[in-house]
């Protein structure tokens, strides 16, 4: 181990990158070197032109770098990336820096991969399709990270477009609640209209089916009940979602200013689509209204089939 006199570890005897930085690997394929950094090809490059950029001082992770060293490393990465692009002419490029075994770091010395990419190469770097967080959880994480950035930089946390409730005036909050309440009222009115429209349709269909003993017309009436029940349950789901949003805004929970997306107030992991669930279908406003009408329709279908076969 070598020390620079200030207690900082300059090289580590077991580190292969320190050996290259100290010019102890004669066959290392170095492409650039200055006082602070060195860039070289790995033994097993992922693509043509794949280059590693490392600081000469031994630092196991990015958190062990000083701000000056971070700036020096970044400057060399930009220089090498530009040179590799001009020399190899790739279709794209990945700049990858990993810390810790779980993040695929295999050598405990800070290094940045400059990886030229072509459309048919064998490199696979894929992000998950589903977000790790959404809604309220994402806002909480943003505030936590922004607060730490502010503490470490010695300044206030940076402002973002997604402002929390602490930046919303009482008048803004009142207007926000009014907008949400108007949406809840529209959903409730739409649900009532569905029941109003369904009643004459069902009355006509079931009446005709009973008089003519037509199971087909009864089946059409029952199908109409199911279709209208889905619409009604969807309106109920939206109403419930906006009621949750209303409660969150009223309680001062972290909802972006004037956000009208009800999924922001949904529990983490909740479904984000607009298809109603069994909770809506089992509610009294759906089950006790559409359930009996559907039962009557199915009974008329069975009665019509039985009488027509005699």
């Amino acid at each position: 181990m070598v020390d620079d006199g200030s207690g900082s570890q300059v090289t580590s005897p077991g580190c292969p990158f320190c050996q290259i930085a100290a010019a102890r690997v004669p066959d290392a394929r170095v492409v650039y070197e200055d006082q602070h950094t060195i860039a070289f090809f790995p033994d097993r490059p992922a693509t043509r032109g794949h280059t590693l950029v490392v600081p000469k001082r031994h630092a196991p992770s990015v958190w062990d770098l000083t701000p000056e060293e971070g700036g020096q490393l970044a400057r060399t990465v930009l220089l090498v990336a530009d040179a590799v692009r001009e020399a190899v002419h790739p279709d794209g490029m990945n700049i990858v820096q990993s810390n810790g075994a779980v993040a695929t770091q295999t050598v405990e010395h800070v290094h940045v991969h400059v990886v030229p990419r072509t459309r048919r190469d064998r490199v696979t770097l894929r992000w998950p399709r589903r977000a790790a967080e959404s809604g309220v959880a994402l806002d909480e994480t943003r505030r936590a990270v922004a607060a730490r950035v502010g503490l470490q930089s010695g300044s206030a946390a940076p402002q973002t477009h997604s402002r929390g409730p602490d930046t919303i005036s009482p008048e803004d909050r009142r207007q926000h609640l009014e907008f949400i309440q108007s949406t809840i009222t529209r959903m409730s009115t739409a649900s009532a209209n569905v029941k109003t429209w369904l009643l004459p349709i069902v009355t006509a269909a079931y009446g005709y089916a009973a008089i003519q003993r037509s199971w087909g017309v009864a089946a059409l009436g029952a199908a109409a009940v199911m279709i209208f029940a889905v619409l009604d349950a969807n309106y109920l789901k939206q109403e419930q979602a906006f009621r949750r949003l209303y409660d969150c805004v009223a309680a001062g929970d972290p909802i972006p200013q004037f956000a009208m997306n009800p999924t922001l107030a949904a529990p983490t992991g909740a479904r984000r689509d607009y298809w109603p669930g069994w909770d809506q279908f089992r509610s009294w406003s759906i089950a006790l209204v559409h359930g009996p009408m559907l039962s009557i329709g199915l009974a008329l279908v069975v009665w019509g089939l039985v009488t027509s076969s005699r």
Side-chain angles (χ1 to χ4, degrees), residues 153-310:
S153 66
S155 61
Q159 295 295 322
T160 66
H161 292 290
S162 180
R163 297 190 295 172
D166 53 334
T167 62
I168 300 179
S169 67
E171 178 62 21
D172 288 338
R173 187 178 305 281
R174 185 187 64 78
Q175 292 184 11
H176 196 173
L177 293 174
E178 288 180 356
F179 291 148
I180 299 173
Q181 183 59 55
S182 65
T183 303
I184 294 173
T185 301
R186 287 199 301 271
M187 294 298 104
S188 179
T189 302
S191 176
N193 289 337
V194 165
K195 297 177 177 65
T196 302
W197 297 335
L198 178 61
L199 187 58
I201 295 175
V202 169
T203 300
Y206 288 176
Y208 181 89
I211 295 173
Q212 301 296 327
R213 299 182 180 181
S214 173
W215 67 268
V217 175
L220 288 176
V225 172
M226 289 188 288
I227 293 173
F228 277 77
V230 171
L231 291 175
D232 201 357
N234 182 58
Y235 287 132
L236 177 61
K237 179 178 181 179
Q238 298 308 307
E239 179 183 341
Q240 292 173 341
F242 279 102
R243 287 186 183 279
R244 286 195 299 269
L245 182 61
Y246 185 98
D247 292 340
C248 287
V249 174
D253 290 345
I255 300 295
Q257 186 178 22
F258 293 117
M260 292 295 287
N261 182 2
T263 60
L264 291 172
T268 302
R271 293 184 54 153
R272 304 298 181 186
D273 57 37
Y274 290 93
W275 186 258
W278 288 115
D279 290 340
Q280 284 76 42
F281 285 113
R282 287 197 298 264
S283 68
W284 67 268
S285 62
I286 304 298
L288 294 183
V289 175
H290 299 276
M293 287 192 287
L294 180 60
S295 299
I296 294 173
L298 294 177
L300 286 173
V301 169
V302 173
W303 178 68
L305 288 172
V306 172
T307 56
S308 62
S309 62
R310 292 179 181 175

Side-chain angles (χ1 to χ4, degrees), residues 111-143:
H111 55 283
V112 178
H113 293 265
V114 177
V115 188
R117 299 297 304 275
T118 58
R119 299 186 187 281
R120 296 184 180 180
D121 62 38
R122 294 175 294 177
V123 177
T124 57
L125 296 174
R126 296 182 179 179
W127 295 97
R129 294 184 177 181
R130 299 187 63 181
E133 290 184 312
S134 59
V136 174
L138 191 60
D139 287 332
E140 292 176 352
T141 303
R142 179 199 66 82
R143 288 201 312 277

